[in-house]
Amino acid sequence: MITYRYLGNSGLKITELTYGNWLTHGSQVENEAAAACVKAALDVGISSFDTADVYANTKAETVLGDILRGERRESLEIFTKVYWPTGPRGANDSGLSRKHIMESINGSLKRLQTDYVDLYQAHRYDVETPLEETMQAFADVVRQGKAHYIGVSEWTADQIRAGAALAKDLGFQLISSQPQYSMLWRVIEDEVVPASKESGISQIVWSPVAQGVLTGKYKPGHAPPAGSRATDEKGGKNMIGRFVDNQDLLERVQKLQPIADELDLTMAQLAVAWVLQNDNVAAAIIGASRPEQVHENAKASGVAIPAELMACIDDALGDVVKRDPGLTAAGAPAGRPA
């Protein structure tokens, strides 16, 4: 069964493998297959589910709500997010204004068929809305019982500190940060993680297998496998291109195979287990298009990687690892998306 961890400085426990439906439900995966994957997650002991209103332009929330209907709500931890535009993309259909947050939480609850979400997350930082307005709106969402806890996603260290301080003044707390994190993408380690620890926040990380690159299926000198994310024109190809177009990186990833073999893990399991070695990581988000992928990923839970093999991983990957903390800010939207 999957191990539970506390989320931030709170009493909320979540499964250290959290099922996410970005790039799958409502878009790439048919509803029947999506339901089979969610049922597989429940079968292996995953009770935490992450989605967002923007995924498949609200369809992902609807699909997840339909699948989880009938499950005991108190036994689930459901997370969603607000920021990116949904609907007709009107002037107030994005961002973290009070208007958008209040309207978005109501829409998400309706689609998810629940009275509350366990975690409501700011999907990005809104440079066009005063932080005080955003945090006051989140405080009211909590007081209204529509969300139990509040988190953020892809915020910088300074933004996390400022948001956490305001939340404390308003009588609630930020408990989570959801950044990209993997063996290849470690930009949170030098600034975001220390700031989070100071503020009682832990990480729920996305893309622990670097969109599939760390599975080892992308071979240097070879075209991407048919049907893989790197060939998907719906969005996956754009995200993964920075990895699969780097032949040196692909060669170095292949050097991880003997390490995985020594631990009796697949390379995907090694990648997921690796992010969970960070004591500030509460959960790794896994996605799936087939139930067997869920069962395989579940084997990464509870794995301890010895220090000497962690060092071997660093040696194998060398300088292809991205560590610059400035990349969090560099990847942020310059203004509210329209």
Side-chain angles (χ1 to χ4, degrees):
M1 295 296 285
I2 305 299
T3 301
Y4 278 83
R5 298 186 180 191
Y6 286 103
L7 185 54
N9 186 25
S10 79
L12 178 66
K13 290 183 177 181
I14 65 172
T15 46
E16 67 176 10
L17 296 185
T18 290
Y19 184 89
N21 70 352
W22 174 57
L23 287 180
T24 51
H25 297 186
S27 55
Q28 295 178 359
V29 175
E30 296 299 326
N31 289 2
E32 185 175 335
C37 290
V38 170
K39 295 300 183 184
L42 292 167
D43 287 344
V44 299
I46 293 173
S47 63
S48 303
F49 295 87
D50 180 82
T51 187
D53 56 0
V54 71
Y55 296 166
N57 194 22
T58 72
K59 292 179 182 176
E61 285 185 326
T62 299
V63 171
L64 185 62
D66 286 341
I67 298 169
L68 292 177
R69 185 175 55 217
E71 298 292 330
R72 183 176 184 269
R73 179 64 184 88
E74 294 84 354
S75 298
L76 303 174
E77 304 84 44
I78 299 176
F79 317 152
T80 193
K81 311 180 194 74
V82 56
Y83 173 81
W84 295 104
T86 56
R89 292 175 176 256
N92 291 299
D93 283 347
S94 64
L96 298 177
S97 68
R98 180 179 183 83
K99 176 177 173 63
H100 187 57
I101 288 173
M102 292 302 186
E103 291 171 350
S104 294
I105 186 62
N106 289 334
S108 289
L109 295 180
K110 182 177 180 181
R111 290 185 290 270
L112 289 165
Q113 302 179 50
T114 182
D115 294 329
Y116 65 93
V117 291
D118 296 278
L119 181 67
Y120 199 40
Q121 302 160 96
H123 211 163
R124 289 298 185 274
Y125 187 88
D126 185 359
V127 297
E128 296 186 27
T129 299
L131 184 57
E132 293 82 358
E133 176 181 339
T134 294
M135 301 313 291
Q136 181 65 68
F138 280 136
D140 290 342
V141 166
V142 171
R143 291 190 179 99
Q144 291 169 6
K146 295 178 180 180
H148 287 161
Y149 301 93
I150 301 296
V152 302
S153 177
E154 295 293 353
W155 283 27
T156 66
D158 287 345
Q159 291 164 351
I160 287 171
R161 287 190 178 97
L166 275 172
K168 185 176 181 180
D169 289 344
L170 291 164
F172 75 103
Q173 61 181 21
L174 295 182
I175 65 168
S176 69
S177 164
Q178 188 176 127
Q180 181 178 181
Y181 186 51
S182 71
M183 292 180 188
L184 297 173
W185 191 264
R186 309 187 194 183
V187 304
I188 65 170
E189 290 183 341
D190 288 345
E191 294 184 3
V192 166
V193 166
S196 296
K197 287 182 175 180
E198 292 170 18
S199 303
I201 288 169
S202 54
Q203 314 300 316
I204 303 171
V205 303
W206 60 273
S207 199
V209 294
Q211 285 95 56
V213 172
L214 288 169
T215 66
K217 65 183 175 183
Y218 298 101
K219 309 294 186 184
H222 293 76
S228 66
R229 183 166 292 177
T231 65
D232 176 27
E233 300 292 344
K234 294 180 181 178
K237 183 177 181 179
N238 294 335
M239 287 292 296
I240 202 174
R242 59 185 166 180
F243 295 131
V244 297
D245 294 338
N246 185 330
Q247 294 300 300
D248 180 36
L249 183 150
L250 296 182
E251 289 173 4
R252 288 179 176 275
V253 167
Q254 294 302 313
K255 295 180 180 180
L256 299 174
Q257 185 66 63
I259 302 171
D261 290 343
E262 185 168 345
L263 291 166
D264 196 24
L265 300 173
T266 66
M267 287 178 64
Q269 290 162 357
L270 176 67
V272 175
W274 183 89
V275 301
L276 293 173
Q277 306 308 297
N278 188 316
D279 64 6
N280 191 235
V281 171
I285 297 174
I286 61 167
S289 56
R290 303 185 308 277
E292 54 266 30
Q293 292 173 323
V294 178
H295 287 280
E296 283 302 306
N297 282 328
K299 296 174 184 176
S301 181
V303 170
I305 302 176
E308 61 269 22
L309 291 185
M310 292 289 284
C312 289
I313 291 169
D314 290 345
D315 291 342
L317 295 177
D319 59 6
V320 300
V321 174
K322 296 294 185 184
R323 300 178 183 274
D324 180 7
L327 289 172
T328 298
R336 191 185 295 173

